[in-house]
Amino acid sequence: MNNEKKNKLKMRDIITLSIFNVAMTIIMLVTKMCTMMLTTPAFDYLFYVGIMGLLCAPVFVVMSNKVAKRGTYLITGIFGGLFITVMGSPWFLPVMIVVGIVCEIIMIGQDTYRNPKRNGIAYSVYWALYALGSAIPMFFFKEQYLNSLKESYTEEGIKTLVRFYGSWDMLLLIAVITIVLSAIGFIVGKKLMKKHIEKAKLV
């Protein structure tokens, strides 16, 4: 009973998660803008989620170790879904809630957020599912989705989108790239936390 009570999020935890998630949302927004403006569409589709996972990792590592309670991934998923909702895709919010729940299942147990292996696996799964979730419209409401893009995408742009998010070989490649970059980010984030945050006794 005491452990159950200890694992429940308090208002202070929710505020902490919100502050850190706002920081990650800013990183995600800047990353997406940079990959869209400075790279080719192919590079953008293949790497942008992985780069988000790489750059957000140090923030997430500190946040998850500071709060270290059940619900951390779910709240992060909700923020991720709201970010894409603001970008014009409200269908992504329920997807990210499911992603958050999947990661919460991975994290079942005591002190798992302070277990680098378990937390690192869940973190990579989170971003891989985030990337794959972007392909859902291509498989469930493709025609309606592509029609909604005609005003903002060129014909060539739509073809490129279909190539990367409408084929399993490209989705597998995107998932692998995302997992690798997220894992690297998590390892770097853990080292930075040990070197700076833990020494300053902030976690």
Side-chain angles (χ1 to χ4, degrees), residues 7-174:
N7 278 328
K8 282 187 177 177
L9 290 173
K10 296 177 182 175
M11 183 55 68
R12 179 182 61 190
D13 300 317
I14 293 170
I15 292 168
T16 300
L17 289 170
S18 299
I19 292 168
F20 276 87
N21 270 289
V22 167
M24 286 195 288
T25 301
I26 292 167
I27 292 169
M28 290 161 68
L29 180 60
V30 172
T31 299
K32 184 57 181 168
M33 287 174 64
C34 288
T35 56
M36 280 180 70
M37 293 165 59
L38 304 176
T39 68
T40 64
F43 183 94
D44 181 31
Y45 292 137
L46 285 171
F47 286 94
Y48 91 90
V49 179
I51 295 171
M52 284 180 181
L54 176 73
L55 298 179
C56 286
V59 179
F60 182 86
V61 169
V62 174
M63 176 185 77
S64 62
N65 278 267
K66 191 174 181 65
V67 175
K69 288 180 182 176
R70 195 178 301 130
T72 297
Y73 273 103
L74 180 57
I75 289 177
T76 302
I78 290 169
F79 268 90
L82 289 172
F83 166 67
I84 300 297
T85 297
V86 170
M87 300 284 280
S89 300
W91 57 267
F92 204 70
L93 179 55
V95 172
M96 290 309 297
I97 290 172
V98 172
V99 171
I101 291 168
V102 169
C103 291
E104 290 294 336
I105 292 168
I106 294 171
M107 297 300 286
I108 288 173
Q110 290 298 315
D111 293 325
T112 50
Y113 282 97
R114 294 199 172 100
N115 181 327
K117 193 174 286 186
R118 181 84 76 86
N119 201 3
I121 289 169
Y123 184 77
S124 295
V125 168
Y126 175 89
W127 286 105
L129 293 178
Y130 184 112
L132 294 175
S134 303
I136 284 175
M138 300 298 296
F139 293 93
F140 292 98
F141 43 97
K142 184 176 179 179
E143 193 175 330
Q144 183 186 347
Y145 179 60
L146 294 180
N147 284 336
S148 72
L149 297 177
K150 283 182 178 176
E151 288 185 13
S152 52
Y153 277 66
T154 63
E155 193 175 328
E156 188 61 36
I158 290 175
K159 281 182 183 176
T160 306
L161 178 68
V162 171
R163 172 69 187 109
F164 283 93
Y165 283 106
S167 56
W168 287 108
D169 59 333
M170 284 293 112
L171 285 174
L172 179 61
L173 181 58
I174 290 168

